[in-house]
Amino acid sequence: MCFPRKMLSMLPMLLMVLKGNVNAVALFEATERNCSLSPPYLPSTAVNSSRQLQELREHMLASDVAAYVVPSTDAHMSEYIGARDARMAFMTGFTGSAGTAVVTPGKAALWTDSRYWVQAERQMDCNWELQKDVSISSIAEWLTSEVPNGGRIGFDPFLFSLKTQEDYAMSLESSNRSLKSMPGNLVDRVWKDRPAISPDSLIRLPDRIIQRSWQMKVEQIRNQMKENPYQPTALLLSALDETAWLFNMRGDDIPYNPFFYSYTLLTMDEIWLFLHTERLTEELRAHLNASCGGPLCVQLKSYDAILDHLKAHVSSRSGVKVWIGTEYTNYALYEVIKPQDKLLSSSYSPVLITKAVKDETEQRILRDAHVRDAVAVMQLLMWLEKSAPTGKETELSASAYVNHCRSKQKDSRGPSFETISASGPNAALAHYSPTVESNRKLTADEMYLVDSGGQYLDGTTDITRTVHWGTPTALQKEAYTRVLMGNIEISRTIFPSGTRGVNMEMLGRKALWEVGLNYGHGTGHGIGNYFGVHEWPVGFQSYNIPFREGMFTSIEPGYYKDDDFGIRIEDIAVVLPAHTKYGHNYLTFDTVSLVPYDRKLIDVSLLSPVQLQWLNKYYESIRRLMSAELERQGLHEEKKWMLRHTEPFVESGSSSRGRSSSPALLALAVAALCNVALETCTLY
Amino acid sequence: MCFPRKMLSMLPMLLMVLKGNVNAVALFEATERNCSLSPPYLPSTAVNSSRQLQELREHMLASDVAAYVVPSTDAHMSEYIGARDARMAFMTGFTGSAGTAVVTPGKAALWTDSRYWVQAERQMDCNWELQKDVSISSIAEWLTSEVPNGGRIGFDPFLFSLKTQEDYAMSLESSNRSLKSMPGNLVDRVWKDRPAISPDSLIRLPDRIIQRSWQMKVEQIRNQMKENPYQPTALLLSALDETAWLFNMRGDDIPYNPFFYSYTLLTMDEIWLFLHTERLTEELRAHLNASCGGPLCVQLKSYDAILDHLKAHVSSRSGVKVWIGTEYTNYALYEVIKPQDKLLSSSYSPVLITKAVKDETEQRILRDAHVRDAVAVMQLLMWLEKSAPTGKETELSASAYVNHCRSKQKDSRGPSFETISASGPNAALAHYSPTVESNRKLTADEMYLVDSGGQYLDGTTDITRTVHWGTPTALQKEAYTRVLMGNIEISRTIFPSGTRGVNMEMLGRKALWEVGLNYGHGTGHGIGNYFGVHEWPVGFQSYNIPFREGMFTSIEPGYYKDDDFGIRIEDIAVVLPAHTKYGHNYLTFDTVSLVPYDRKLIDVSLLSPVQLQWLNKYYESIRRLMSAELERQGLHEEKKWMLRHTEPFVESGSSSRGRSSSPALLALAVAALCNVALETCTLY
């Protein structure tokens, strides 16, 4: 046990915690700030925000605004943001993914949700108050009390969605405080060492994984514009994956997401692409037909030129109508499309809707990526099966291991999100990823959940498996089996084309509900070909678009017992036609993730005959597809492991029979134990 | 074959139809108008609308409006309307339940949906054009082309919902045509013999069926007003069932709905009730504490005084905030609540939300009503089983029979809607009710669907059964069984309190989807204690509120094969707590309709063991509850019929075993046949 740093400075805190219910760790150093002490107690993780606050306030004064709002998003409403967009973190010290900071001349406040309250108390100094009701009406209420009557509240319209602006405007409506849209961001003026744009060249996807050239996609989108009854003359693309998809290009501006900062403005006879043009190689300029002037030539513009260009485009011509997707267009671009009859809006642009349905090649290569990805996940599970019970491995080492295994696979481009590697009670926390502080040893006494994914040139993966290396409790086994039943019930369901995911997602919960269990998150999200791990128009949430053939979605029910364990089973599935006795145009799912579930956790007696049949059929697919791949990669031990774990289950009331019916299986298990290779994935 | 009337006048029509594909019936008389002939052809069912149109146009001229909109609703956004509110029918001749008429100086047009196109062509003369796109944007487009630039479009704000007004305003936004709200209805000035208000006295519900006095309900609602964070000072009740519920009163102003024209304005210390005060007996005035002045005294106001009273209430006091439910408040009342900060709106008022959850007494008496109602429906089915195969009965005689059976039951107050009695292809039509023209003979060769319900002092019922008296086809049997499986799957599901119906309703479709079948209507609606048959806040549609303990809903999946047959199985169920292994606050349904399904149509081999178990348990309930009731009513033959039809099904792969396994059952059937009593329900 080592002695803490900064022992003297935290003496008041030590005394305080001694009075309460504290555990051994808390005694050594309070990890959260205490602003009610004099002087305030600040942990070593807190960031001094005085300079940036002072400078921001000077700029606010010069701009005559009594408050300034600093959101945590970027100009493209991205799910993940690049380092140069982390303005909220720069101002506050708080690095969580969601929040809003507001500064007045005398006060500063941060709003974030319950996931991040502890983190905010660790990272912020006492310049900042923490607000816990994250509704915009709560922020507006605070603003009304802090900003004098008649005062103006400044915001960067590039960082507000239409909805955000509308919500603020509505909440402040009768308050006599007005919103002031200020396109030049004030934080950026203060942020001296703001990270620069990546100098890396952008890439184009190789022809071998492309079915539609960007010219074909442009034609496809233009046809949709022509067919639209509201007769748009232009289409503005704001989400980063829209431009990346349209031009078959990728970049590295956003962690885990192969995107590059960009906008596209498309008309029937022109294409303007706004990006950091210095990052285009000659080959890419040729790819984009950047030197000609016809309807299939791309006119390159500077990223920062979008606002002026759009303004000029809208005002210079009569009869202009610009189509935008409101979910991803920022308020700065929206507010220059005036008057209203120059605007056509839908929740999602036609590019996002079109992109959601994968063409034949995209389906094939996304399946291919899942075959290779399954190799890496099997290597992790096989290794854990041997290593975890030794007590030498941790959440972090397991996370590193699976990342390493993925990196060895063809066309790997790193993880698609930060791996959730969670043992025991950690797995019951939403959004948990291990840190040095939280890192937990893996043991045969705890369940372990690993939710991870890879980026490959041909596809993005996302899979969760939950395992137990010792003896699960009855509840763990029942909950796991019912989560699996949920996964199976969604996967095998047959539904009319155009059914919404939200109307089917209860199938993922039904088996849990029957015994009074449930889970508190969504049941799945879209995914695609080397994009962000969440392709939002697709999935099981209320705002998702209806399912059509060729869409890919995750299916991920779970169950979480606070302070004890967490279960999630996540697979990716593609929507395919179902052949029914009487009907046409019916669909079903086909699972493309190819990793077996933990047999030890399945109580076969709970499964219905059709569920068991589905499971055995799925295992047949794994055996067929993965045998070939594992052999191709020369991974014989992995193949044996896979075959052992995908033995067919026997239909019976007895759950134990399924586990140990085959003497051959036992023999294989013994053989496997005698053949340990500690890091088989590195052999490839 | 009889010769048609009006043979001469329809000669041009005869010649026309001879050219096309016609059937024998069409040859005799064209039932639809033909305005392209000269002179136009009008069937005998067409109404001459010239006088009313001319007079309306005079009033339009005097009011300086270039168009006038005539909706088909009343001032309370009622589902059914009273005769005096049938303004659209008075103007057009068209009596369908949904439509909008618009009149300009030179033209007149009616918008109605596909259910009613044939009916409109039969009932309207050639003053009217029929428009088939019923969206408000289509009406607005027509208005823009017919009304000159700068012209005003008049409407009665009492007949527009907020949403309707908003949709018109939005659609006309950039057209330079303006909407003019005109509280004095122009049609009423033209309508000389407009039906008067019913002179009947209103009634109060007897104490034996009341748990909460109106005073208790008022307190309950006031508490909700106090608890509301937006601090409303007043609540405006506009839907007719809101006032009826609050004061435990009923009337007879609307067909099938025991409502009376009324509004309520409730504050913390006053209650104003707006109605036709001459209809209140002394007893009712006493019931309402109408002669005192405290917070639990009702101040009676004339029905027509609501607008002025509300205007004065809003403007005379500072700090007034009026809570309205936007779904049922008309635009006339909405537009006097100004400025905006005097308004608090939610989709439904707290009365509708509170009313949706039945108290213990309401639950008990609604179950009681269903026991008596089941007697009437069993009498119908038993009678049909004997009479229908003789070929002497029709849809209309069956409809009359069930109405008659219901009328014999205690506390009967007539049918709760027009009975849908439909044989063969008629059952495949949405919203079919038999008419003299469409009336179809019942035979053993066709399936028969009967959807009917009763009003009783203690409850409203609604039940659908589909039967076959001969040999069903394989498809009929499979479809029926899968519809039943849908009904069972919803009924037996266990779900967390607060789950929305829309998220569960696919359980009603799942078994059909599996073989490519589906249905095109909703899966259920709320129902209650002597109110309208549809209590809209509850049900399985997207706009319904989440399910809570004590709500009642119909569950009614179906399947319809065009020009062939229709299947629907509808039961009413109450939401009750479910006892689960691990959880709390879970709910499930308990079916309160108590009429067996047609055994002949059930393929037991398709049912899962749990479904079969549910069915047998349900049949046990029917046997237990209905045996007692049928005995009490001395209906021995009906009891035998009921027992025969609720024999337990045998769990087996063979569907035939379930039908005829019991020799006792056969004996009963023979006994039943020998014991025919043609109208057993009249014996009671």
Side-chain angles (χ1 to χ4, degrees):
Chain A
M1 200 197 297
C2 59
F3 216 73
R5 294 168 295 145
K6 299 211 307 175
M7 193 61 194
L8 288 176
S9 71
M10 27 168 303
L11 211 58
M13 198 63 196
L14 263 180
L15 294 174
M16 213 193 64
V17 294
L18 280 170
K19 296 183 204 157
N21 283 323
V22 293
N23 58 37
V25 175
L27 267 175
F28 291 104
E29 181 171 12
T31 59
E32 297 174 32
R33 65 178 184 169
N34 186 340
C35 299
S36 59
L37 296 177
S38 178
Y41 168 71
L42 292 177
S44 58
T45 47
V47 171
N48 183 341
S49 66
S50 296
R51 186 196 63 80
Q52 48 264 53
L53 268 174
Q54 189 198 322
E55 291 182 23
L56 180 68
R57 282 167 176 149
E58 284 162 16
H59 285 286
M60 288 165 55
L61 191 66
S63 307
D64 191 22
V65 291
Y68 191 69
V69 181
V70 183
S72 53
T73 185
D74 68 8
H76 308 275
M77 309 297 129
S78 302
E79 189 180 0
Y80 293 73
I81 56 169
R84 58 188 273 103
D85 282 314
R87 296 179 183 87
M88 179 193 71
F90 165 73
M91 285 305 301
T92 65
F94 166 64
T95 58
S97 72
T100 302
V102 180
V103 179
T104 65
K107 282 199 177 177
L110 172 87
W111 282 257
T112 192
D113 63 77
S114 58
R115 289 177 292 168
Y116 292 121
W117 292 343
V118 170
Q119 184 179 341
E121 296 286 3
R122 287 176 179 167
Q123 297 184 314
M124 296 198 304
D125 66 13
C126 289
N127 287 317
W128 292 88
E129 56 185 78
L130 176 62
Q131 292 281 343
K132 300 186 172 182
D133 174 356
V134 295
S135 68
I136 285 179
S137 62
S138 136
I139 303 179
E141 204 174 294
W142 188 90
L143 281 165
T144 306
S145 73
E146 296 300 329
V147 171
N149 200 347
R152 302 196 305 171
I153 297 152
F155 71 98
D156 178 351
F158 280 99
L159 304 184
F160 269 36
S161 71
L162 277 61
K163 176 93 173 51
T164 305
Q165 195 280 340
E166 196 176 81
D167 287 352
Y168 275 100
M170 197 137 62
S171 298
L172 291 165
E173 197 174 20
S174 50
S175 72
N176 203 28
R177 275 83 177 163
S178 61
L179 282 170
K180 182 168 163 55
S181 168
M182 305 165 69
N185 192 290
L186 298 190
V187 173
D188 294 356
R189 296 192 202 166
V190 174
W191 196 354
K192 302 290 183 295
D193 51 353
R194 183 174 170 223
I197 295 287
S198 156
D200 295 351
S201 294
L202 308 182
I203 63 156
R204 52 170 288 203
L205 296 180
D207 288 336
R208 66 179 158 95
I209 57 169
I210 291 298
Q211 178 170 323
R212 286 171 291 180
S213 66
W214 68 257
Q215 289 89 340
M216 292 162 71
K217 290 179 175 175
V218 164
E219 288 300 340
Q220 205 176 353
I221 300 302
R222 280 182 175 147
N223 282 337
Q224 291 182 48
M225 293 167 66
K226 274 182 209 145
E227 283 158 18
N228 188 295
Y230 295 98
Q231 297 290 303
T233 61
L235 174 67
L236 175 67
L237 303 180
S238 293
L240 296 183
D241 53 345
E242 293 179 310
T243 291
W245 176 85
L246 189 64
F247 296 107
N248 293 322
M249 283 167 58
R250 298 292 187 273
D252 63 352
D253 294 351
I254 309 280
Y256 302 113
N257 292 235
F259 301 154
F260 53 98
Y261 292 113
S262 55
Y263 299 96
T264 300
L265 186 66
L266 176 72
T267 67
M268 290 305 166
D269 42 24
E270 290 189 275
I271 309 167
W272 294 278
L273 172 57
F274 302 82
L275 76 178
H276 296 92
T277 50
E278 67 278 13
R279 299 171 68 191
L280 291 174
T281 59
E282 278 313 308
E283 189 213 345
L284 274 175
R285 285 171 189 266
H287 167 71
L288 292 168
N289 292 348
S291 51
C292 58
L296 287 175
C297 302
V298 179
Q299 302 179 48
L300 301 175
K301 295 269 173 183
S302 154
Y303 175 73
D304 296 321
I306 180 67
L307 191 65
D308 289 339
H309 182 94
L310 181 65
K311 209 184 288 181
H313 179 83
V314 169
S315 62
S316 68
R317 312 178 187 207
S318 71
V320 169
K321 184 166 270 187
V322 184
W323 191 353
I324 63 166
T326 54
E327 286 293 315
Y328 292 100
T329 305
N330 64 54
Y331 187 72
L333 300 182
Y334 168 78
E335 69 176 344
V336 300
I337 307 175
K338 279 191 278 210
Q340 273 286 319
D341 59 7
K342 294 201 167 185
L343 181 78
L344 166 61
S345 62
S346 51
S347 295
Y348 302 107
S349 81
V351 163
L352 279 189
I353 305 290
T354 306
K355 170 174 171 283
V357 173
K358 312 308 179 202
D359 63 32
E360 267 178 50
T361 301
E362 286 165 342
Q363 290 185 34
R364 179 176 50 75
I365 63 177
L366 190 42
R367 282 177 183 273
D368 286 351
H370 277 87
V371 171
R372 302 198 302 281
D373 194 69
V375 174
V377 179
M378 286 185 191
Q379 287 176 320
L380 170 73
L381 294 179
M382 187 178 86
W383 173 75
L384 284 173
E385 213 173 272
K386 293 176 292 195
S387 315
T390 67
K392 286 185 205 136
E393 299 303 334
T394 66
E395 293 169 344
L396 279 174
S397 69
S399 174
Y401 192 89
V402 73
N403 288 351
H404 180 65
C405 293
R406 280 202 172 90
S407 73
K408 297 285 176 184
Q409 290 296 321
K410 184 171 150 250
D411 288 337
S412 166
R413 292 291 183 279
S416 58
F417 59 97
E418 190 178 352
T419 295
I420 297 172
S421 170
S423 187
N426 283 347
L429 299 173
H431 304 267
Y432 173 82
S433 289
T435 61
V436 174
E437 294 83 36
S438 68
N439 191 22
R440 203 170 171 91
K441 207 171 66 179
L442 309 185
T443 81
D445 301 328
E446 289 186 349
M447 282 184 108
Y448 171 73
L449 180 158
V450 55
D451 183 350
S452 67
Q455 291 288 12
Y456 303 88
L457 207 51
D458 46 356
T460 308
T461 67
D462 183 6
I463 182 169
T464 310
R465 289 294 179 266
T466 306
V467 293
H468 199 303
W469 304 293
T471 307
T473 67
L475 173 62
Q476 284 172 336
K477 203 167 162 180
E478 172 160 13
Y480 183 93
T481 305
R482 289 180 181 277
V483 170
L484 177 62
M485 288 158 77
N487 194 304
I488 294 175
E489 280 306 289
I490 292 184
S491 303
R492 74 178 195 84
T493 192
I494 290 168
F495 56 91
S497 178
T499 301
R500 305 182 72 90
V502 68
N503 293 334
M504 303 194 283
E505 75 107 45
M506 67 83 71
L507 293 177
R509 303 176 188 272
K510 197 168 175 287
L512 289 161
W513 285 355
E514 272 167 21
V515 290
L517 305 179
N518 201 359
Y519 55 93
H521 55 73
T523 298
H525 55 81
I527 195 166
N529 300 86
Y530 194 26
F531 286 112
V533 73
H534 297 147
E535 284 199 21
W536 280 123
V538 172
F540 294 91
Q541 309 297 102
S542 57
Y543 49 79
N544 290 134
I545 59 176
F547 278 120
R548 305 278 173 203
E549 180 184 347
M551 291 178 170
F552 282 72
T553 182
S554 76
I555 298 172
E556 46 180 311
Y559 171 70
Y560 308 88
K561 189 159 159 49
D562 278 350
D563 302 320
D564 196 348
F565 63 88
I567 295 165
R568 186 160 63 253
I569 301 177
E570 176 184 23
D571 289 303
I572 303 300
V574 55
V575 179
L576 289 186
H579 302 288
T580 65
K581 190 168 169 187
Y582 301 110
H584 301 286
N585 222 6
Y586 280 75
L587 302 174
T588 191
F589 294 103
D590 185 30
T591 305
V592 303
S593 303
L594 293 166
V595 179
Y597 311 118
D598 189 349
R599 305 181 78 90
K600 186 183 276 175
L601 286 163
I602 302 175
D603 179 352
V604 179
S605 73
L606 290 176
L607 302 184
S608 73
V610 279
Q611 287 166 346
L612 205 59
Q613 201 180 325
W614 183 94
L615 186 56
N616 282 334
K617 210 171 143 226
Y618 172 51
Y619 274 17
E620 271 173 43
S621 301
I622 299 180
R623 289 166 83 96
R624 190 178 67 249
L625 294 165
M626 294 309 299
S627 287
E629 180 67 17
L630 291 167
E631 260 169 38
R632 206 187 59 70
Q633 296 196 17
L635 298 170
H636 305 296
E637 196 191 346
E638 282 83 348
K639 186 180 167 195
K640 282 182 207 158
W641 181 92
M642 181 274 293
L643 290 174
R644 190 168 80 243
H645 281 268
T646 52
E647 278 279 312
F649 288 92
V650 180
E651 188 170 345
S652 128
S654 149
S655 59
S656 60
R657 280 185 58 194
R659 283 215 306 277
S660 56
S661 58
S662 158
L665 207 143
L666 265 177
L668 277 171
V670 173
L673 280 170
C674 305
N675 249 311
V676 288
L678 204 63
E679 282 201 78
T680 48
C681 72
T682 62
L683 299 176
Y684 171 67
Chain B
M1 199 201 297
C2 59
F3 215 73
R5 294 166 298 146
K6 300 212 305 176
M7 193 61 194
L8 287 176
S9 71
M10 27 165 306
L11 212 57
M13 199 63 197
L14 262 180
L15 294 174
M16 212 195 67
V17 294
L18 280 170
K19 296 184 205 153
N21 283 326
V22 293
N23 60 34
V25 174
L27 268 175
F28 293 103
E29 182 170 9
T31 59
E32 298 174 32
R33 65 178 183 168
N34 185 340
C35 300
S36 60
L37 297 174
S38 178
Y41 168 70
L42 293 176
S44 58
T45 46
V47 172
N48 184 339
S49 66
S50 296
R51 187 195 63 77
Q52 47 266 49
L53 268 173
Q54 190 199 321
E55 291 182 23
L56 180 68
R57 281 168 176 149
E58 284 162 15
H59 285 286
M60 287 165 58
L61 191 66
S63 305
D64 191 24
V65 290
Y68 191 69
V69 181
V70 183
S72 53
T73 185
D74 68 6
H76 309 276
M77 308 300 128
S78 303
E79 189 181 1
Y80 293 74
I81 57 169
R84 59 187 274 102
D85 282 313
R87 295 178 184 87
M88 179 192 69
F90 165 73
M91 286 304 301
T92 64
F94 166 65
T95 57
S97 73
T100 302
V102 179
V103 179
T104 66
K107 284 198 178 178
L110 172 87
W111 281 257
T112 192
D113 63 78
S114 59
R115 290 177 292 168
Y116 292 121
W117 292 343
V118 170
Q119 184 179 344
E121 295 287 2
R122 287 176 180 166
Q123 298 184 313
M124 297 200 301
D125 65 14
C126 290
N127 287 317
W128 292 89
E129 56 184 77
L130 175 62
Q131 293 281 344
K132 299 185 170 182
D133 174 355
V134 296
S135 68
I136 285 180
S137 63
S138 135
I139 304 179
E141 203 174 296
W142 188 90
L143 282 165
T144 306
S145 72
E146 296 299 329
V147 171
N149 200 345
R152 304 196 304 172
I153 298 152
F155 71 98
D156 179 352
F158 279 99
L159 304 184
F160 270 35
S161 71
L162 277 60
K163 175 92 172 54
T164 304
Q165 195 280 339
E166 196 176 81
D167 287 351
Y168 275 101
M170 197 135 63
S171 298
L172 291 166
E173 198 174 21
S174 50
S175 73
N176 203 29
R177 276 83 179 164
S178 60
L179 283 169
K180 182 169 164 54
S181 169
M182 305 165 69
N185 192 289
L186 297 190
V187 174
D188 294 359
R189 296 193 201 166
V190 174
W191 195 356
K192 302 292 182 296
D193 51 354
R194 184 175 169 222
I197 294 287
S198 157
D200 296 352
S201 294
L202 307 182
I203 63 156
R204 54 169 288 203
L205 295 180
D207 288 336
R208 66 178 157 96
I209 57 170
I210 291 298
Q211 178 170 322
R212 287 170 289 180
S213 67
W214 69 256
Q215 290 88 340
M216 291 162 73
K217 289 179 175 175
V218 163
E219 288 299 341
Q220 205 175 353
I221 299 302
R222 280 182 175 145
N223 282 337
Q224 291 182 49
M225 291 166 66
K226 273 181 210 144
E227 283 158 18
N228 188 295
Y230 295 97
Q231 297 291 301
T233 62
L235 173 67
L236 175 67
L237 303 180
S238 293
L240 297 183
D241 53 345
E242 293 178 311
T243 291
W245 176 85
L246 189 64
F247 296 108
N248 293 323
M249 284 168 57
R250 298 293 188 274
D252 62 351
D253 293 351
I254 308 280
Y256 301 113
N257 292 235
F259 301 154
F260 53 97
Y261 292 113
S262 55
Y263 299 97
T264 301
L265 185 66
L266 177 72
T267 67
M268 290 304 167
D269 42 24
E270 290 188 276
I271 308 167
W272 294 278
L273 171 57
F274 302 82
L275 77 179
H276 296 92
T277 50
E278 66 278 12
R279 300 171 67 190
L280 291 174
T281 59
E282 278 313 308
E283 188 213 345
L284 273 175
R285 285 171 188 267
H287 166 72
L288 291 168
N289 291 348
S291 52
C292 59
L296 287 175
C297 303
V298 178
Q299 303 179 49
L300 302 174
K301 295 271 175 183
S302 156
Y303 175 73
D304 297 321
I306 179 67
L307 191 65
D308 289 340
H309 183 94
L310 181 65
K311 210 184 288 183
H313 180 82
V314 170
S315 63
S316 68
R317 312 177 187 209
S318 71
V320 170
K321 183 167 270 189
V322 184
W323 191 354
I324 63 166
T326 54
E327 287 292 315
Y328 293 100
T329 305
N330 65 54
Y331 187 73
L333 300 181
Y334 167 79
E335 68 176 344
V336 301
I337 307 174
K338 281 192 278 212
Q340 274 285 320
D341 60 5
K342 295 201 165 184
L343 182 78
L344 166 61
S345 63
S346 51
S347 294
Y348 302 107
S349 80
V351 164
L352 279 189
I353 305 290
T354 305
K355 170 175 172 282
V357 173
K358 313 306 179 201
D359 64 33
E360 264 178 51
T361 301
E362 287 165 342
Q363 290 186 35
R364 178 175 51 74
I365 64 177
L366 190 43
R367 283 178 183 272
D368 286 352
H370 276 87
V371 171
R372 302 198 303 282
D373 194 70
V375 174
V377 179
M378 286 185 190
Q379 288 176 318
L380 170 72
L381 294 178
M382 186 177 86
W383 173 75
L384 284 173
E385 210 171 275
K386 292 175 294 196
S387 315
T390 68
K392 286 184 206 136
E393 299 303 334
T394 66
E395 293 170 345
L396 280 174
S397 70
S399 173
Y401 192 89
V402 73
N403 288 352
H404 180 66
C405 292
R406 279 202 171 90
S407 73
K408 298 285 175 184
Q409 290 297 321
K410 184 172 150 245
D411 288 337
S412 167
R413 291 294 183 277
S416 57
F417 58 98
E418 191 178 354
T419 295
I420 296 171
S421 170
S423 186
N426 283 346
L429 299 172
H431 303 267
Y432 174 81
S433 288
T435 62
V436 174
E437 294 84 33
S438 68
N439 192 21
R440 202 173 173 89
K441 207 171 68 179
L442 309 185
T443 81
D445 301 328
E446 290 187 349
M447 284 185 105
Y448 171 74
L449 181 158
V450 55
D451 182 351
S452 67
Q455 291 287 13
Y456 302 89
L457 209 49
D458 45 356
T460 308
T461 67
D462 182 5
I463 181 169
T464 309
R465 288 294 179 266
T466 306
V467 293
H468 199 303
W469 304 293
T471 308
T473 65
L475 174 62
Q476 285 172 336
K477 204 167 160 180
E478 172 159 13
Y480 183 94
T481 306
R482 289 181 180 276
V483 170
L484 177 61
M485 286 158 77
N487 195 302
I488 294 174
E489 279 307 288
I490 292 183
S491 303
R492 73 178 195 83
T493 192
I494 290 168
F495 55 92
S497 179
T499 301
R500 306 182 73 90
V502 69
N503 294 336
M504 302 193 284
E505 75 107 45
M506 67 83 69
L507 292 177
R509 304 177 188 269
K510 196 168 176 288
L512 289 161
W513 286 355
E514 272 166 22
V515 291
L517 305 179
N518 201 0
Y519 55 94
H521 56 73
T523 298
H525 55 82
I527 196 167
N529 300 84
Y530 195 24
F531 286 112
V533 73
H534 297 148
E535 285 200 18
W536 280 124
V538 172
F540 293 91
Q541 309 297 103
S542 56
Y543 49 79
N544 291 133
I545 59 176
F547 278 119
R548 305 277 174 202
E549 181 182 347
M551 291 179 172
F552 282 72
T553 182
S554 75
I555 298 172
E556 46 180 311
Y559 171 70
Y560 308 88
K561 188 160 159 47
D562 279 351
D563 302 319
D564 196 347
F565 64 88
I567 295 165
R568 187 163 59 253
I569 301 176
E570 176 184 22
D571 288 303
I572 303 300
V574 56
V575 179
L576 290 185
H579 302 288
T580 63
K581 190 167 169 187
Y582 302 109
H584 300 287
N585 222 5
Y586 280 76
L587 302 173
T588 191
F589 294 104
D590 185 29
T591 306
V592 303
S593 303
L594 294 165
V595 179
Y597 310 118
D598 189 347
R599 306 181 76 89
K600 187 183 277 174
L601 286 164
I602 301 176
D603 179 352
V604 178
S605 72
L606 290 176
L607 302 184
S608 72
V610 279
Q611 288 167 344
L612 205 61
Q613 201 181 326
W614 184 94
L615 187 56
N616 282 333
K617 210 171 144 225
Y618 172 51
Y619 274 18
E620 270 173 45
S621 301
I622 298 180
R623 290 165 82 95
R624 187 178 70 251
L625 295 164
M626 293 310 299
S627 287
E629 180 66 16
L630 291 166
E631 258 168 38
R632 206 187 58 71
Q633 296 196 18
L635 298 170
H636 306 296
E637 196 191 347
E638 282 83 347
K639 187 180 166 193
K640 283 183 206 154
W641 182 91
M642 181 274 292
L643 290 174
R644 192 169 78 242
H645 281 267
T646 53
E647 280 279 311
F649 289 92
V650 179
E651 189 171 342
S652 124
S654 148
S655 59
S656 60
R657 279 185 59 195
R659 283 214 306 278
S660 56
S661 58
S662 156
L665 206 145
L666 263 178
L668 278 171
V670 173
L673 279 170
C674 305
N675 250 310
V676 288
L678 204 63
E679 283 202 75
T680 48
C681 71
T682 62
L683 299 175
Y684 171 69

